Structures are given as structure tokens and as C-alpha cells.
């Protein structure tokens, strides 16, 4: 969801150590952003940052990168990080369609949390688990491809299960009610809101060997 009219959003981002300006300059050398050899996990559509910040606090030996299309949303995530003082998290602002222009054999796990479901059939290829995007992801993974998805939208979830399977992914974990399982979970702001309203959260974890 886009937050509109955040005054000086661009200035706020560029003045923060958590924001990576011109991320395409780091293609293939993303680890230099963190100055260590720890694994890197990526979230596309990071929103206000609740999930990624929670993960970064839980796993200090993993580096996390959040990608968001709108700078006005990233401002909120950046402000939260300033309060937490984390050294294993960075944020970037660009369209997911350019994902393989920024990353190359850098990522170990990709999180797709509550992505736009694009429910109409004619928009199928815009879904982040469509064959179009799965092909882009192939080059960003360091070794085996590893995707974790959460969504409240059953149409997107069913589509993801089908597309991932057709593309050669093995579905290792699947749940249509994540919160009733023992799977470790950090809630997104969207997830918390809608689960409180009684919505079930769909979850999958899928892997594919290169």
C-alpha cells in the first residue's frame, strides 16, 4: 500500500545509512553493503518493515534486504530502523521487474509477503510467483532457489502453488492457516491487521535445485 504525501521522503531516505541509493551499482557485490560473509535474505514488497525488522532482530547472523517500489512507504521502515539500531538490514527502492539487474547469485532466501494478488486472469504474469518472475529469480539465488510466501488471497496462493510446481520447485511446507501451525512467524503489519479480523493466512515454502 502506498503512503502518499510523505514530505521530503527522498531526502529522508538518502540521509539514512539503511537506504541503498543506486542499488544497481552493487550487482554481484551486495555483500559489501554489510562488510561480512553472512547469508543474505531478500523481501520484495517490504512495506513498513515490520517483518524484515523482526527477522533482523531474531537472526543477527543473517543480513536482510527489503525492496519496495514506493519511497513513501520505505520512509516508515527507515524510521523504525533508526530506533532499533540494527546493522544487518538495508532497504532499496525499485520495481521488482528489475530484480535481476540488482542481484546476481547473492540471495539465499526470498520472501514474498502479501504481494499484490493481481486477481484478474489477464494480469496473471504480474504476480510475483508467475513464470515471468520465477525466471528472473533464477539468477539472484546464490545456490538453490528458496522462496517463502505468505498471503491472505486464496487466488494468488493457488496460482503460486501451481506455477512453482510447474517451474520445478518442491513444495516443502504448505498451510492454509499459518497461525494454527508451529512454523516460526514474524507478522507483517498487514498480516496482523487481517488475522485479527478472522482472515486465514496461507503459507508456503518452496525450493528448487539449480
Amino acid at each position: 500500500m502506498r503512503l502518499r504525501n510523505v514530505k521530503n521522503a527522498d531526502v529522508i531516505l538518502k540521509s539514512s545509512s539503511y537506504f541503498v541509493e543506486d542499488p544497481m551499482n552493487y550487482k554481484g557485490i551486495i555483500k559489501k553493503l554489510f562488510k561480512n560473509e553472512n547469508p543474505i535474505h531478500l523481501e520484495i514488497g517490504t512495506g513498513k518493515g515490520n517483518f524484515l525488522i523482526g527477522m533482523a532482530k531474531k537472526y543477527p547472523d543473517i543480513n536482510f534486504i527489503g525492496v519496495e517500489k514506493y519511497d513513501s512507504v520505505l520512509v516508515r521502515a527507515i524510521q523504525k530502523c533508526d530506533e532499533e539500531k540494527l546493522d544487518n538490514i538495508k532497504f532499496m527502492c525499485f520495481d521488482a521487474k528489475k530484480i535481476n539487474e540488482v542481484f546476481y547469485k547473492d540471495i539465499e532466501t526470498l520472501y514474498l509477503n502479501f504481494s499484490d494478488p493481481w486477481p484478474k486472469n489477464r494480469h496473471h504474469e504480474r504476480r510475483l510467483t508467475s513464470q515471468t518472475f520465477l525466471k528472473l529469480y533464477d539468477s539472484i539465488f546464490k545456490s538453490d532457489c528458496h522462496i517463502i510466501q505468505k498471503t491472505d488471497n486464496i487466488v494468488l496462493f493457488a496460482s503460486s502453488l501451481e506455477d512453482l510446481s510447474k517451474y520445478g520447485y518442491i513444495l516443502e511446507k504448505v498451510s492454509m492457516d499459518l497461525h494454527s501451525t508451529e512454523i516460526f512467524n514474524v507478522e507483517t503489519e498487514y498480516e496482523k491487521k487481517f488475522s485479527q479480523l478472522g482472515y486465514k493466512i496461507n503459507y508456503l515454502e518452496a525450493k528448487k535445485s539449480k
Side-chain angles (χ1 to χ4, degrees), residues 31 43 49 52 62 69-70 76 85 103 122 141 164 185 206:
K31 63 183 180 181
E43 181 186 24
L52 213 64
I62 297 176
K69 186 175 182 179
Y70 301 112
R76 304 308 188 199
K85 306 298 182 184
F103 301 101
R122 68 175 183 271
F141 286 107
L164 286 163
N185 181 50

Side-chain angles (χ1 to χ4, degrees), residues 31-40 60-61 63 87-88:
K31 63 183 180 181
K32 288 188 175 182
L33 293 172
F34 299 99
K35 300 179 182 178
N36 60 52
E37 297 296 324
N38 291 341
I40 299 174
D61 293 329
N63 296 320
D87 61 5
N88 62 329

Side-chain angles (χ1 to χ4, degrees), residues 49-194:
N50 284 16
F51 172 80
L52 213 64
I53 292 170
M55 292 293 284
K57 292 168 65 177
K58 175 70 174 179
Y59 300 106
D61 293 329
I62 297 176
N63 296 320
F64 294 89
I65 296 176
V67 171
E68 178 57 52
K69 186 175 182 179
Y70 301 112
D71 59 3
S72 52
V73 178
L74 271 187
V75 167
R76 304 308 188 199
I78 291 291
Q79 290 171 334
K80 292 175 184 176
C81 282
D82 287 335
E83 297 174 1
E84 297 289 349
K85 306 298 182 184
L86 299 169
D87 61 5
N88 62 329
I89 190 169
K90 297 289 184 182
F91 295 97
M92 301 175 176
C93 189
F94 63 88
D95 193 300
K97 291 184 291 187
K98 298 181 179 180
I99 196 75
N100 64 339
E101 297 179 31
V102 177
F103 301 101
Y104 179 70
K105 295 184 178 181
D106 299 305
I107 306 303
E108 296 204 7
T109 298
L110 172 63
Y111 302 102
L112 303 175
N113 294 323
F114 300 91
S115 310
D116 192 329
W118 294 104
K120 295 181 180 179
N121 288 335
R122 68 175 183 271
H123 293 152
H124 176 271
E125 291 305 310
R126 298 185 185 183
R127 298 170 188 167
L128 293 184
T129 47
S130 70
Q131 301 286 312
T132 297
F133 278 96
L134 293 178
K135 290 177 182 177
L136 294 180
Y137 303 151
D138 278 344
S139 65
I140 76 171
F141 286 107
K142 184 176 181 179
S143 53
D144 291 347
C145 305
H146 183 208
I147 294 176
I148 295 177
Q149 181 189 44
K150 293 193 290 185
T151 179
D152 63 317
N153 188 283
I154 193 62
V155 173
L156 174 60
F157 191 61
S159 174
S160 297
L161 293 173
E162 181 178 1
D163 283 338
L164 286 163
S165 296
K166 286 182 177 179
Y167 200 69
Y169 277 82
I170 303 299
L171 298 167
E172 297 198 336
K173 294 180 183 178
V174 176
S175 174
M176 296 181 70
D177 187 5
L178 171 61
H179 293 176
S180 68
T181 73
E182 295 183 356
I183 298 171
F184 175 74
N185 181 50
V186 174
E187 289 186 315
T188 73
E189 57 274 6
Y190 185 100
E191 177 180 359
K192 183 175 182 180
K193 174 182 177 180
F194 281 88

